[in-house]
Amino acid sequence: MSAQPEITRRDPRNRSSEIMGAVQGGRSITVTRDGHQITELTPLRRRRFVPREEFVGTSRTGPDILLNAFRADQDRTAEQGTDAPYARTTSRRSSPGSR
């Protein structure tokens, strides 16, 4: 017998709110069909930050970045003007009376 609760394959249809609430609350649930385990419902583990030690360890194996070369590359590829996403552009359409 497993350490986590088991449900039949029909239970998610009949008790979805209860089951999803349990999973969202951190419980893992095994789904069975004909007494055999077929899948597992597990909560997603989302980290909100990377621990400092892990960041430092990963950074040590990365390539060296030369700050001046990085900035020059950014200047070459990025637009330097200010961004006005809602500014309207004017077009030169002839007015109906000017034809």
Side-chain angles (χ1 to χ4, degrees), residues 15-76:
R15 301 173 28 216
S16 64
S17 179
E18 174 189 349
I19 293 166
M20 291 303 131
V23 172
Q24 186 175 7
R27 295 189 72 181
S28 293
I29 300 173
T30 300
V31 181
T32 63
R33 179 175 57 198
D34 299 326
H36 301 299
Q37 296 178 344
I38 57 172
T39 192
E40 182 177 274
L41 299 173
T42 59
L44 294 175
R45 307 272 187 232
R46 295 186 180 168
R47 289 195 299 194
R48 296 182 184 209
F49 68 95
V50 175
R52 180 184 178 110
E53 298 79 25
E54 185 176 336
F55 176 77
V56 169
T58 303
S59 298
R60 285 186 182 137
T61 61
D64 290 335
I65 297 175
L66 301 174
L67 185 57
N68 289 336
F70 176 76
R71 286 184 175 160
D73 185 45
Q74 292 295 306
D75 287 342
R76 261 193 326 276

Side-chain angles (χ1 to χ4, degrees), residues 88-92:
R88 292 184 177 220
T89 57
T90 57
S91 61
R92 297 183 177 254

